[in-house]
Amino acid sequence: MASEYLGYIRTEKYDKEPSRRKELIVNCEKPFNAETRPDLLPRSFYVPNDLFFVRNHAPVPLLKSEEEFRLRVEGIVAYPLLLSLEDLKTKFRKHTVAAVLQCAGNRRTEMSRIKPVDGVPWLHGTAGNAIWSGVLLRDVLIAAGVYTNKALHVEFEGADLPPEEENRRGYLASIPLNKALDRDEEVILAYEMNGEKLPRDHGYPLRVVVPGYVGARSVKWLTRIICKMESSDGYFMTKDYKYLPSNMDFNNVDWSSTPPIMNLSVQCAICDPLPDTKLSPGPYKIRGYALTGKGEHIVRVEVSINNSKDWQLATLIKGEKVANKEIPKRVTSGMKDWSWVLWELVVYMKPPTVLTARAIDSACNTQPEQPLWNLRGVMNNSWHKICVYPLNSAL
Ligand SMILES: Nc1nc2c(c(=O)[nH]1)N[C@H]1C(S)=C(S)[C@@H](COP(=O)(O)O)O[C@H]1N2
Ligand SMILES: [Mo]
């Protein structure tokens, strides 16, 4: 059944999905969940839009027409707003930020080797760096006259209706008002991704991008912003995207025991070669990405080619040149960094062997050697280990 909602057509039948590249690794068709082939990630500092991972929880809502789009800003504000796309583009200053998005479930498959976990079996391809342009959420909240003495959270509502939300309005998430109002946090309402209109899979025509937070808070197909006293009670804030204690499974799960995941932690992945690749002995360039949260930046990536015995420093590629060319003058202090880094290291490899990579950020945050198992398999940021085998091996 299809229904209309705030200028969108919602269908339960997945008959209005956008076209997609065959190169994506599809983990689920309905809803569409696909990751970038990890070896494609380090090929460019910004992931091309049509290769960027897609994490949907429902059919992609179809906007009837750009003219009919309205964003509502309400709740504990003096002047509730109803904004068209034109309003957003002409009445507010355009802001651009380079930021990485990562699903909290990135690298879940590795965690399930310890004990089965519940969730989409992602490899390490649900992270991507992009240039996002739109307006600062801060500017919109100020225009709405948010009561900073009363409101503490900003809730976002998407036009899609995941079955988990039952009879609620749409996909819901919230962030603290402080994060939203701090210009250095650069939370934006984005209408462009890498200089193009947002693709439908990534939230056309408008999405939130919350730099430094897990992807689940960057709500797509944004229809409503609500300033509130409490954080959102949406499903993906209260019953998912939580790092549960390792003794909890479905028999004794207590969702209220654990806060919703917000900040990203240090992450690092080997993208090229892919796990279990067969190689002849010789010189190879190992490549990958590393990222972190809180606006810190990656200062070091260490790589081992002999099963974590000896470590070498990889070369970091920060992509600043590209960014400077495309990103207009900053309106922030520029002290924080929301992009990933790419890294590479040339080594002489003699398979079979185990390659390991780990990163350290500017606040000296590191990664654990082993994943800490949790029921939903989220926030796996353990040292990334992959095996490579000789060309003639039977595997
Ligand atoms: N409206 C809406 N927003 C959403 C989601 C969703 O299903 N619906 N998924 C979230 C999750 S879990 C992630 S990881 C990111 C993924 O963004 P992408 O599909 O553009 O890569 O979107 C977030 N925003
Ligand atoms: Mo996610």
Side-chain angles (χ1 to χ4, degrees):
M1 252 208 5
S3 61
E4 282 191 21
Y5 185 70
L6 303 175
Y8 284 90
I9 300 171
R10 276 173 170 172
T11 158
E12 287 161 23
K13 287 199 308 204
Y14 293 91
D15 54 353
K16 297 189 166 44
E17 297 286 287
S19 60
R20 286 146 178 157
R21 285 276 290 267
K22 284 191 286 294
E23 287 83 349
L24 290 168
I25 303 175
V26 179
N27 277 316
C28 180
E29 279 286 350
K30 300 175 180 182
F32 190 73
N33 282 297
E35 66 188 295
T36 315
R37 234 176 62 200
D39 59 322
L40 298 181
L41 284 175
R43 295 203 184 167
S44 59
F45 194 69
Y46 300 106
V47 179
N49 290 357
D50 54 5
L51 288 178
F52 204 93
F53 81 94
V54 179
R55 197 338 174 190
N56 295 341
H57 291 83
V60 177
L62 180 69
L63 185 67
K64 283 166 69 189
S65 75
E66 222 164 273
E67 291 67 42
E68 279 174 75
F69 173 84
R70 291 294 178 278
L71 171 69
R72 290 153 182 77
V73 187
E74 52 201 37
I76 310 174
V77 299
Y79 319 108
L81 303 175
L82 195 60
L83 299 168
S84 66
L85 265 192
E86 189 65 13
D87 290 337
L88 286 166
K89 289 180 183 170
T90 56
K91 296 185 180 159
F92 295 88
R93 179 172 46 194
K94 186 170 182 179
H95 186 74
T96 297
V97 59
V100 63
L101 272 192
Q102 182 188 227
C103 182
N106 196 28
R107 300 182 57 202
R108 177 179 284 129
T109 299
E110 294 164 63
M111 195 181 288
S112 64
R113 283 185 208 134
I114 299 176
K115 197 166 109 178
V117 291
D118 174 57
V120 183
W122 300 118
L123 302 170
H124 42 295
T126 51
N129 205 41
I131 300 174
W132 309 95
S133 296
V135 304
L136 281 177
L137 173 60
R138 166 194 159 84
D139 292 349
V140 173
L141 293 177
I142 289 172
V146 56
Y147 287 113
T148 51
N149 56 339
K150 286 200 196 134
L152 287 171
H153 299 270
V154 187
E155 184 181 58
F156 308 119
E157 182 188 326
D160 55 329
L161 184 57
E164 294 90 340
E165 294 285 7
E166 291 168 356
N167 50 6
R168 290 169 198 273
R169 297 150 299 170
Y171 181 99
L172 297 173
S174 70
I175 62 168
L177 180 63
N178 276 349
K179 171 98 176 167
L181 286 179
D182 186 337
R183 70 166 85 225
D184 280 350
E185 297 291 320
E186 297 184 81
V187 180
I188 74 165
L189 310 181
Y191 46 74
E192 284 173 16
M193 177 177 184
N194 291 323
E196 293 163 19
K197 270 188 189 179
L198 267 186
R200 280 189 62 214
D201 263 330
H202 300 292
Y204 172 79
L206 191 70
R207 80 173 300 165
V208 187
V209 173
V210 187
Y213 274 16
V214 290
R217 313 303 169 218
S218 291
V219 173
K220 305 192 275 190
W221 313 291
L222 181 68
T223 54
R224 208 188 294 261
I225 296 173
I226 308 129
C227 296
K228 304 176 96 173
M229 306 261 281
E230 292 87 27
S231 71
S232 173
D233 64 353
Y235 183 91
F236 301 99
M237 292 289 287
T238 55
K239 295 215 160 49
D240 197 354
Y241 296 109
K242 289 199 172 192
Y243 196 125
L244 294 166
S246 56
N247 65 352
M248 268 185 204
D249 54 30
F250 276 121
N251 301 315
N252 65 351
V253 59
D254 173 9
W255 290 104
S256 66
S257 65
T258 311
I261 302 166
M262 293 295 188
N263 288 297
L264 291 170
S265 42
V266 187
Q267 179 65 287
C268 182
I270 302 166
C271 294
D272 190 0
L274 289 167
D276 305 331
T277 301
K278 291 182 191 175
L279 299 167
S280 49
Y284 286 96
K285 189 185 272 182
I286 307 175
R287 300 195 291 180
Y289 64 79
L291 60 96
T292 188
K294 299 205 169 172
E296 302 291 348
H297 59 274
I298 296 294
V299 292
R300 199 155 77 231
V301 170
E302 301 176 354
V303 179
S304 164
I305 57 165
N306 57 5
N307 202 7
S308 316
K309 265 210 262 29
D310 306 296
W311 298 87
Q312 304 179 55
L313 291 188
T315 305
L316 303 187
I317 304 154
K318 300 210 168 173
E320 269 143 8
K321 278 211 184 86
V322 196
N324 283 346
K325 198 178 85 212
E326 303 197 16
I327 297 185
K329 199 162 161 277
R330 303 177 72 96
V331 295
T332 68
S333 72
M335 295 300 285
K336 300 198 173 178
D337 189 344
W338 309 109
S339 269
W340 70 11
V341 295
L342 297 177
W343 55 264
E344 58 187 42
L345 179 70
V346 177
V347 294
Y348 188 90
M349 256 197 289
K350 202 165 171 290
T353 189
V354 177
L355 310 182
T356 317
R358 62 185 186 194
I360 292 95
D361 80 6
S362 45
C364 307
N365 294 305
T366 57
Q367 302 176 246
E369 185 168 351
Q370 296 296 333
L372 207 54
W373 185 91
N374 62 86
L375 181 62
R376 294 311 317 277
V378 286
M379 302 306 271
N380 178 14
N381 73 331
S382 56
W383 297 0
H384 192 215
K385 294 187 188 193
I386 66 161
C387 300
V388 288
Y389 295 99
L391 263 190
N392 54 2
S393 71
L395 250 164

